[in-house]
Amino acid sequence: MRVLIVEDEPKLLIQLADGVAAAGYAVDLADNGVHALHLGNTEPYDAVVLDLGLPKMDGLSVLRQWRASARTMPVLILTARDGWHEKVAGIDAGADDYLAKPFHMEELLARLRALIRRSGGHASAELVCGPLCLDTRNSRVTLSGQALTLTSHEYRVLAYLMHHQGQVVSRTALVEHIYAQDFDRDSNTVEVFIGRLRKKLPADMIETVRGLGYRLAVPP
Ligand code: CA
């Protein structure tokens, strides 16, 4: 899962980047509205954290432009403590949720998880596929109740497949959702991660769909 964080206050931006990355997401950063608008228009994010007061272009305008060009990713806006009018304007502009500053990182992460799972049509914080269970609250994966040890990239690949289980996920989509923008991307490494995951999972759980990509499913 890949998240865009937009915040112009340097300290808060770093805090957000560290907290969200530590929760297992690939993270891209923008510190002004124009850069945010461009990234949101060109990169496929699973969620966006958007501050409203931004240099160059304010957050509400960014959000309105995304929605006007049919960018539907979930957006969590950051508002001023007593800014009820900001919340109303933000939701009307297409925000899916809001959080008033100052906030606790744990609350922001919980709201992010909820947004991402709702956008994938999942009601529970635990994603289950046969014997495999991913608890999005603590990024833990178990297989028949036993903890699986995964590297951060293996986790991101598996989390993306679990959020889209039963669907064919292209290698390009995996690359775009597990790496941040400035990462040296190599689609061959996705195959390596898939190979390693297969060794840790029951045979045939990750199916190769020739020419299209991969599908995570309970083996028949
Ligand atoms: Ca600001």
Side-chain angles (χ1 to χ4, degrees), residues 2 4 25 28 75 78 87 90 94 111 132-133 138 147 149 161-162 172 176 187-188 190 201 210:
R2 187 168 163 207
L4 172 64
Y25 301 98
D28 284 352
V75 174
L78 302 178
K87 293 169 194 162
R111 288 176 183 275
L132 194 60
C133 177
N138 51 25
T149 308
L161 289 174
M162 293 238 5
T172 311
E176 286 179 334
S187 70
N188 291 322
V190 165
L201 299 177
R210 201 176 290 267

Side-chain angles (χ1 to χ4, degrees), residues 150-188:
L150 302 174
T151 66
S152 63
H153 281 101
E154 288 166 11
Y155 173 80
R156 286 181 195 167
V157 169
L158 186 60
Y160 195 78
L161 289 174
M162 293 238 5
H163 274 90
H164 299 86
Q165 57 183 276
Q167 302 168 23
V168 179
V169 175
S170 71
R171 208 196 296 177
T172 311
L174 281 174
V175 170
E176 286 179 334
H177 289 269
I178 65 169
Y179 292 123
Q181 197 199 21
D182 53 4
F183 202 89
D184 183 18
R185 296 174 186 187
D186 175 357
S187 70
N188 291 322

Side-chain angles (χ1 to χ4, degrees), residues 121-156:
H122 301 282
S124 163
E126 282 189 344
L127 305 178
V128 177
C129 182
L132 194 60
C133 177
L134 185 150
D135 189 336
T136 58
R137 290 165 296 193
N138 51 25
S139 310
R140 288 215 182 101
V141 182
T142 55
L143 180 66
S144 306
Q146 300 286 326
L148 271 190
T149 308
L150 302 174
T151 66
S152 63
H153 281 101
E154 288 166 11
Y155 173 80
R156 286 181 195 167

Side-chain angles (χ1 to χ4, degrees), residues 7-8 51 53 101:
E7 170 60 61
D8 60 317
D51 184 33
K101 292 179 181 179

Side-chain angles (χ1 to χ4, degrees), residues 10 17 27-28 39 52 56 58 68-69 74 76 84 86 93 95 109-110 119 128 131 143 173 181 187 191 199:
V27 175
D28 284 352
L39 285 176
L52 292 186
K56 296 191 185 174
D58 68 272
S69 38
L76 169 74
W84 66 265
E86 266 187 358
L109 292 174
S119 75
V128 177
L143 180 66
Q181 197 199 21
S187 70
E191 270 180 75
K199 287 186 188 148

Side-chain angles (χ1 to χ4, degrees), residues 76 98-100 102-112:
L76 169 74
Y98 62 81
L99 198 53
F103 52 84
H104 288 280
M105 188 59 69
E106 284 307 315
E107 183 176 1
L108 179 119
L109 292 174
R111 288 176 183 275
L112 262 188

